[in-house]
Amino acid sequence: MSDVSNSGDTAPAATGLWLAIKKVASRLQDWFVIQSVLVKLAVLAIVILIPASGIYSFTLIQKQAAVAEQVKTMSVTTEAGEGVWTLNDQLPVVFGTGSMLRFLATNPVERVTVIYTPLMWNVSERIILIESQGKQFAYYPSDMETKIFTDKAVTAPWSGKLAFIPRAELSDSGQELMARLDLRFADARPQSEKDGWKAGVSGVLSAALTFGLLAFLYVQFKGQFKSLKFVEPTQVLGSIDELVGMDDIKAEVAQIKDQYQRRAAYAEYGINKPFNVMFSGPAGTGKTKLASYLARELKLPILFHSAANLETGYVAGGSNTLSRILAMAKRRRRCIVFLDEAQDLFMKRGGRRKFDDDTANTLLSVLDGVRSKDDAEIIWIVASNFNSETMQMDEAMLRRFQMKVDFRMPNREERLAIIGHYLARRADKVLPDLDLRHLAAVTEGRSPADLETIVNQAGITAVQAGEMIGAETLMQAAERVLVGNVNSHTTEERERDRRIIAVHEWGHFLVDFEHERKLANGDWEQLLADIKTIKISLKANARTNALGFVFHKQGANLLKTKGDIEHDVRVLLGGMANEELFFGEQGTTNGAHNDITRVTELLHHAVGEMGMYRKTRLNFGALGRGGRDGGREVDEETRSIMEAQSERLYGETKAVLDKFKPLTEHLVGKLLAAGEMNLSEAILEIRRFEAA
């Protein structure tokens, strides 16, 4: 935050008001620049109409005030005591013939009484009674006569004998007289007075249309800026230094910053391509944060928009949105446009919905290398979860990007630093000297966003329990985030299902346990560190729709040998194999559905894609790719090899578990009683059983 001057109390308020005005003006300009010509003309017409109508209304109010003052003056009485604000109904009334103006010019006039009814603004209905020679001659002048009568009323001899009486102020006898005159003059009324009600309706309709159009523009304006809004660099919280770990990725971003700030120096070496940057990598790895921090470092406004929201379901909906974004960016000239979730735009064009290709084509033209000076300093950052190993990118799109930054999951040391960073924000609520190595191991393969969620969940749990954040709290939060919500009510009343689940889960665990024990050569400490299982539970997991689960950490090995793949298959088959050993082949359940699916995928990867168990090392799976889903066609030979290897590995798994039947029975009883057991408890029970 900026420092506030102490020179006066009004300075901060004035500065804040000025910034607010500038912000509103900027948003109005953004909205105006992306509209069509028709909308722009309509807005300009309304902008002109509003002050014009206001000035006109103000002028009429002034005139009405002046008339009211004159009427007030007319209401005074004469020296003889006769009121000029009254109608002389003692004289007979006759209908005048010929022209009213001629009659005034050729006959003596004692008094001219104008009885009027205001209709709207300067339109009124009037009947004129001219008192002459003991009678009152009634006239209903036309519009032309009224204008001439008004002009002559200032200098004519009868000008001092005028009296204006509102019809509503007449006495009962005067009202009866006017009713008779109305019948006589019904066909003589000027058209302007007959159409007075139409003018009123037209004015109301015009006002309604004006307000309706303003309301429409307001709704459109408000909705537009929910999705298209530039964020000023001063509004971005934090800095790039807060991104812990992943120094290689931050170095790439630093290169973008340097190239932008010293673009003239780079241009001398022929590097003058537009600033198009691709961020790709798993979700939650910090692509959006890094883009916002780059905007803060370069002091550039940034627009965030999801490419998934470009399509509106209408033809050219996405391309029109891109065009509006480009228009807003051009108005600023120096800015950053960040398009997130853009993996669909990177797919090869053709064979998809037409408006998908239209959007991709528009993006290609926007990112093109041939640009004007107005948009040469716009940085386009397009982020996606695109996986180049399983999906093919459009070559034309790939060539548009000057730089490609690949994001990755943090390693163990970086996870330790990230967890420590988030805990440091609430250091006064964290127990001292926490050992975070176990949590870092559990969260293998998890993104920084997952780690932040775990720490936040630990804080929520600590608040609810009224305690400090400790190692146990963090592990509970990790289980909540990584496994999901669990409950015991789903299975606690199903004794048969609980026993089957316990047998199934111990089958997975014991196969892995036997393998890791051989690798550890009987070293129990080493076994505890290497085995991936963290907890075995009989609680139902709504996320996987399972009645029990094994909470385990991910393996640290990115490269898997043939032996590693076979071990993974054996562990997956351990659940069904144990069910068969305890309940017979007819007693196996569909609880192993997910396990069998993963076994099929692993064996297809080994046989069909890696060429394992074959004489040749060929990837037949690549021949079936072509669509977005890369439809796999399993040939007969691959199928037979997969079935043979599955049968062999299943037999080996049953042989391992058959030796552990007494141990399994013991562990099942302990798990049914406890509901769940962690790794230390399981190893302790195994050691006790074997020692006995």
Side-chain angles (χ1 to χ4, degrees):
M1 297 179 64
S2 59
D3 294 331
V4 179
S5 174
N6 295 323
S7 58
D9 295 335
T10 60
T15 303
L17 178 61
W18 175 243
L19 290 177
I21 294 174
K22 288 178 62 178
K23 183 178 178 181
V24 171
S26 177
R27 292 182 64 181
L28 283 172
Q29 289 177 339
D30 281 338
W31 180 86
F32 190 77
V33 77
I34 63 177
Q35 301 306 315
S36 63
V37 176
L38 183 62
V39 173
K40 290 179 180 179
L41 292 176
V43 172
L44 288 175
I46 292 176
V47 169
I48 296 173
L49 179 61
I50 290 175
S53 60
I55 294 172
Y56 182 66
S57 299
F58 179 77
T59 304
L60 287 179
I61 291 173
Q62 293 294 103
K63 289 182 178 180
Q64 290 174 356
V67 172
E69 188 65 27
Q70 294 174 4
V71 170
K72 182 179 179 181
T73 305
M74 292 178 185
S75 64
V76 300
T77 58
T78 61
E79 294 179 358
E82 181 184 359
V84 299
W85 196 257
T86 58
L87 174 65
N88 187 2
D89 54 2
Q90 301 300 318
L91 297 178
V93 178
V94 297
F95 298 112
T97 59
S99 169
M100 179 189 70
L101 297 174
R102 182 181 295 274
F103 182 88
L104 288 170
T106 57
N107 292 279
V109 176
E110 285 81 20
R111 183 179 182 184
V112 179
T113 305
V114 180
I115 302 173
Y116 66 93
T117 302
L119 295 179
M120 187 176 180
W121 289 313
N122 59 345
V123 178
S124 63
E125 185 181 43
R126 61 271 176 190
I127 295 177
I128 298 178
L129 297 176
I130 304 174
E131 186 176 333
S132 177
Q133 300 175 358
K135 296 180 181 180
Q136 293 189 90
F137 295 87
Y139 285 92
Y140 197 105
S142 64
D143 290 342
M144 182 64 69
E145 278 187 308
T146 301
K147 186 177 186 305
I148 299 173
F149 173 80
T150 304
D151 294 339
K152 289 187 175 183
V154 179
T155 58
W158 40 262
S159 61
K161 302 175 182 179
L162 278 170
F164 293 87
I165 304 177
R167 184 165 178 169
E169 300 292 334
L170 295 177
S171 62
D172 293 340
S173 58
Q175 296 288 357
E176 293 177 2
L177 173 62
M178 289 299 105
R180 292 192 296 270
L181 293 177
D182 284 340
L183 292 176
R184 171 65 179 81
F185 296 127
D187 296 330
R189 286 189 172 90
Q191 188 65 33
S192 62
E193 298 175 8
K194 293 180 181 180
D195 294 341
W197 67 272
K198 296 181 181 179
V201 172
S202 176
V204 172
L205 181 61
S206 176
L209 290 175
T210 302
F211 283 112
L213 182 58
L214 287 174
F216 166 75
L217 293 176
Y218 170 76
V219 172
Q220 189 185 36
F221 174 81
K222 187 176 180 180
Q224 188 74 47
F225 282 96
K226 285 184 178 179
S227 57
L228 298 180
K229 179 182 177 182
F230 272 93
V231 177
E232 297 301 322
T234 54
Q235 297 176 277
V236 177
L237 301 178
S239 67
I240 197 170
D241 296 330
E242 294 186 12
L243 288 178
V244 181
M246 292 181 281
D247 293 332
D248 52 337
I249 297 174
K250 289 193 289 186
E252 293 283 347
V253 175
Q255 183 179 344
I256 300 172
K257 176 183 175 183
D258 181 71
Q259 187 170 339
Y260 188 83
Q261 291 177 333
R262 299 197 301 138
R263 48 193 175 276
Y266 281 89
E268 294 177 359
Y269 287 81
I271 304 172
N272 51 10
K273 290 184 177 180
F275 293 93
N276 300 333
V277 185
M278 181 193 299
F279 284 178
S280 63
T285 50
K287 297 186 288 291
T288 305
K289 280 188 176 181
L290 203 56
S292 61
Y293 292 158
L294 177 63
R296 183 179 177 88
E297 293 282 329
L298 293 175
K299 296 180 174 58
L300 297 178
I302 182 170
L303 182 144
F304 296 95
H305 192 75
S306 174
N309 294 332
L310 286 177
E311 295 303 344
T312 59
Y314 300 98
V315 176
S319 57
N320 287 339
T321 303
L322 279 175
S323 299
R324 290 195 293 268
I325 292 174
L326 179 60
M328 293 173 63
K330 280 185 175 181
R331 192 185 71 79
R332 285 173 169 78
R333 296 191 63 181
R334 299 183 70 246
C335 61
I336 297 177
V337 177
F338 181 79
L339 293 180
D340 200 6
E341 304 294 339
Q343 47 268 18
D344 284 346
L345 297 178
F346 292 157
M347 302 296 294
K348 282 186 174 293
R349 288 165 293 167
R352 301 186 292 167
R353 297 173 298 182
K354 183 180 183 301
F355 50 78
D356 285 338
D357 286 344
D358 288 343
T359 305
N361 291 334
T362 304
L363 181 60
L364 285 172
S365 64
V366 167
L367 300 177
D368 205 341
V370 181
R371 292 197 180 176
S372 64
K373 293 182 180 179
D374 292 336
D375 55 334
E377 299 181 16
I378 301 173
I379 299 178
W380 288 83
I381 301 178
V382 185
S384 73
N385 303 330
F386 193 88
N387 187 349
S388 58
E389 293 184 358
T390 59
M391 296 180 285
Q392 290 183 323
M393 182 182 293
D394 190 276
E395 293 295 330
M397 186 71 73
L398 183 61
R399 288 195 298 269
R400 292 299 194 278
F401 291 96
Q402 174 188 2
M403 182 176 295
K404 185 174 184 294
V405 181
D406 293 310
F407 286 70
R408 57 175 175 79
M409 294 297 184
N411 56 38
R412 181 189 293 260
E413 295 301 322
E414 290 170 338
R415 291 196 303 277
L416 275 172
I418 292 170
I419 296 171
H421 170 72
Y422 289 128
L423 288 175
R425 294 181 176 179
R426 44 185 73 82
D428 56 336
K429 299 298 181 182
V430 180
L431 293 175
D433 302 327
L434 281 182
D435 187 357
L436 302 175
R437 290 176 297 177
H438 183 55
L439 181 60
V442 169
T443 53
E444 177 75 34
R446 299 296 175 172
S447 68
D450 292 331
L451 301 178
E452 183 179 8
T453 304
I454 290 172
V455 176
N456 289 338
Q457 181 61 45
I460 294 172
T461 304
V463 171
Q464 293 172 347
E467 59 186 19
M468 303 281 281
I469 299 176
E472 184 63 28
T473 314
L474 288 169
M475 286 305 300
Q476 291 176 4
E479 180 181 342
R480 175 72 178 272
V481 172
L482 302 181
V483 176
N485 295 330
V486 296
N487 70 88
S488 57
H489 302 292
T490 304
T491 55
E492 64 183 2
E493 297 179 357
R494 304 178 182 180
E495 188 61 34
R496 170 183 170 273
D497 290 347
R498 293 178 79 237
R499 179 171 175 79
I500 294 174
I501 296 165
V503 169
H504 183 101
E505 300 301 344
W506 281 121
H508 291 309
F509 174 79
L510 290 174
V511 172
D512 189 36
F513 167 77
E514 178 66 12
H515 176 73
E516 294 294 341
R517 182 157 65 171
K518 289 180 180 179
L519 294 179
N521 293 321
D523 186 345
W524 291 99
E525 295 296 330
Q526 185 66 34
L527 177 63
L528 277 170
D530 292 344
I531 200 166
K532 293 187 287 293
T533 301
I534 299 172
K535 178 186 288 187
I536 302 171
S537 177
L538 295 181
K539 295 180 179 179
N541 184 0
R543 182 180 297 177
T544 59
N545 199 27
L547 298 177
F549 67 91
V550 175
F551 179 29
H552 58 82
K553 57 189 176 184
Q554 300 293 325
N557 295 328
L558 298 178
L559 299 177
K560 287 186 176 292
T561 64
K562 182 178 179 181
D564 293 334
I565 295 175
E566 289 189 350
H567 172 65
D568 290 342
V569 172
R570 291 190 190 96
V571 172
L572 290 168
L573 293 174
M576 175 172 278
N578 225 22
E579 289 182 17
E580 185 176 343
L581 285 172
F582 276 81
F583 310 112
E585 186 177 356
Q586 296 299 318
T588 56
T589 66
N590 61 353
H593 175 266
N594 290 336
D595 301 332
I596 299 303
T597 301
R598 291 169 62 191
V599 165
T600 306
E601 292 175 347
L602 279 174
L603 288 177
H604 181 270
H605 172 69
V607 179
E609 298 178 350
M610 297 304 299
M612 295 180 181
Y613 311 105
R614 294 179 185 269
K615 293 181 180 180
T616 57
R617 295 294 183 263
L618 297 176
N619 182 4
F620 291 98
L623 301 178
R625 295 176 184 170
R628 177 175 295 190
D629 299 327
R632 296 177 177 178
E633 296 291 338
V634 182
D635 59 276
E636 194 61 35
E637 181 186 2
T638 300
R639 185 189 301 272
S640 62
I641 295 175
M642 289 172 61
E643 290 176 348
Q645 296 304 318
S646 175
E647 184 177 358
R648 174 180 67 84
L649 295 171
Y650 187 71
E652 294 174 359
T653 304
K654 283 181 62 179
V656 171
L657 292 174
D658 188 50
K659 300 185 299 182
F660 288 122
K661 283 193 70 175
L663 175 60
T664 304
E665 192 69 51
H666 173 75
L667 293 173
V668 166
K670 294 294 183 180
L671 184 59
L672 289 173
E676 61 183 21
M677 296 174 64
N678 60 35
L679 177 60
S680 299
E681 294 169 342
I683 295 297
L684 181 61
E685 288 298 330
I686 292 173
R687 297 185 70 175
R688 286 176 177 175
F689 181 83
E690 291 181 347

